[in-house]
Amino acid sequence: IDGIVMGPLHCAYDDCFAPLKDGSTGVVCAEHFLAFGKKCHVRGCSQSLHRDTRACINHQTEWKEHQAQFARQSVISMCRCIHQANADPQEWNPNQRTWPNPPAHDDDGEPILPPRKNYFAPGRWYCLELMVAPCGVPIVFELFNKSELPKKIIDFIEKHHPMPATKSQYYIIDKACMVLRSLIRGGKWEEWKHSICLIVDTYHYINHHITDYVCRKWCNSAPMDGSAPNLVISNTRPDGSTEHRRAFNSQAAEQLNAWISGYQPILNSMTVPNLLWYVLVMLFLHACVFEQHTAKRDQRASAMGDEEGEKDLDQPDASELDED
């Protein structure tokens, strides 16, 4: 389970996630447009709008500053976009695994933000959360608002896997130890612990504190003490040494997010219903292509096996030749 920080626009007013009345130029939903659409968009001001701006005559300075900073064609806006692109940790990229600190996206708790001074720009959903099988096939997805709080991840799992029999044996989450603590504090771990294990994916695990006993003991994705034989495959080499490797790809969600992020400019400009439909179609096609590749691989493997079997039958070994 992992989320990619992106999402469509929603109403600019506090704690309102309704779709915009006008998706191209609007900043508020239909309900707030009737109440405040023709008034100044500065917090606490009830004056009428000045011409085609979003501020009254007394707040034109704030409106011009907003346009200069956030307009698509402004130099400041382009510099901000370039800076954000360079600062993106790209957690799916193995070349970025030496970062000393986890991304801010992995912090626990709701972000404490100061109240907005104005409503010149619409709000935006925080992230698109996905649940992916280790083989890479997507299962479900959902939009999260404001943050990726552990409680929201728990609700996300319980919504789509409500019964114990429908839950997975393992859930790989970048903040699994935080989710585990949230389950314990909420009194739900007694129900979950009989059939569920929460583990941290390999990339984020190296950024977690070594002194965190709960994380190291219960959320290790590859424990070497033999406590999780389903996670670690051990083979004996010809020289007698033991080789260990992970049984599952714990980066499947990050890899799928990397593919979806290529469509982020398109998805961010959509309404919520259009985005959900578009993502559903993308994931469906992704699963179909994956299934086709798997079927072709199995066919090739089967054909190679048949050829080798026929070859072995047609050519006797040395012992048979000696007996003749």
Side-chain angles (χ1 to χ4, degrees), residues 53-300:
T53 66
R54 295 174 186 165
C56 62
I57 188 67
N58 297 326
H59 291 107
Q60 286 300 301
T61 302
E62 289 87 339
W63 170 246
K64 292 179 180 179
E65 290 178 354
H66 171 82
Q67 281 191 310
Q69 184 176 1
F70 293 98
R72 294 183 178 180
Q73 303 299 329
S74 68
V75 176
I76 298 177
S77 177
M78 293 301 298
C79 292
R80 185 179 67 255
C81 293
I82 294 173
H83 175 73
Q84 291 176 351
N86 292 334
D88 188 0
Q90 298 293 342
E91 56 194 39
W92 53 266
N93 189 344
N95 296 327
Q96 299 290 345
R97 293 184 179 179
T98 57
W99 283 47
N101 298 317
H105 174 56
D106 302 325
D107 292 344
D108 190 13
E110 291 280 8
I112 301 176
L113 302 176
R116 296 184 60 169
K117 297 180 180 179
N118 56 66
Y119 303 107
F120 292 154
R124 187 178 294 279
W125 289 85
Y126 178 69
C127 71
L128 180 69
E129 196 78 5
L130 292 100
M131 184 185 297
V132 183
C135 60
V137 174
I139 301 175
V140 293
F141 63 92
E142 189 174 312
L143 284 172
F144 281 11
N145 55 34
K146 292 186 178 180
S147 68
E148 196 188 31
L149 194 67
K151 183 181 181 303
K152 296 180 181 178
I153 298 177
I154 296 172
D155 295 339
F156 176 64
I157 296 174
E158 291 185 333
K159 177 181 177 180
H160 298 285
H161 294 165
M163 304 301 294
T166 61
K167 288 183 171 61
S168 301
Q169 183 180 3
Y170 292 99
Y171 286 104
I172 305 175
I173 311 171
D174 52 7
K175 53 181 74 175
C177 50
M178 299 179 187
V179 176
L180 176 60
R181 289 186 174 91
S182 182
L183 284 170
I184 295 174
R185 288 193 297 263
K188 295 184 178 181
W189 181 240
E190 291 298 323
E191 175 187 354
W192 284 49
K193 69 179 183 180
H194 299 290
S195 58
I196 305 301
C197 290
L198 301 173
I199 57 178
V200 181
D201 65 276
T202 54
Y203 166 76
H204 289 85
Y205 186 75
I206 62 175
N207 287 323
H208 288 206
H209 294 291
I210 194 172
T211 57
D212 189 344
Y213 175 80
V214 173
C215 181
R216 297 287 168 175
K217 175 65 177 179
W218 303 107
C219 300
N220 190 347
S221 59
M224 301 304 298
D225 57 359
S227 59
N230 291 334
L231 297 178
V232 180
I233 299 176
S234 300
N235 296 321
T236 303
R237 298 190 182 97
D239 59 358
S241 60
T242 304
E243 176 188 13
H244 303 282
R245 60 185 178 89
R246 295 183 177 90
F248 300 104
N249 176 22
S250 65
Q251 303 297 116
E254 282 81 2
Q255 292 163 357
L256 182 60
N257 284 343
W259 175 67
I260 295 177
S261 64
Y263 301 88
Q264 184 170 351
I266 301 174
L267 297 173
N268 283 346
S269 61
M270 292 182 176
T271 61
V272 173
N274 289 346
L275 177 138
L276 296 178
W277 177 85
Y278 194 88
V279 173
L280 178 63
V281 173
M282 288 174 58
L283 297 180
F284 175 77
L285 295 176
H286 177 80
C288 291
V289 172
F290 178 84
E291 184 178 359
Q292 291 176 358
H293 283 294
T294 304
K296 291 180 180 179
R297 182 189 62 188
D298 294 341
Q299 290 177 359
R300 289 195 299 267

Side-chain angles (χ1 to χ4, degrees), residues 310-324:
E310 294 176 356
K311 183 177 180 181
D312 293 340
L313 291 174
D314 294 338
Q315 296 183 1
D317 57 14
S319 61
E320 294 177 347
L321 294 175
D322 293 337
E323 291 176 358
D324 293 338

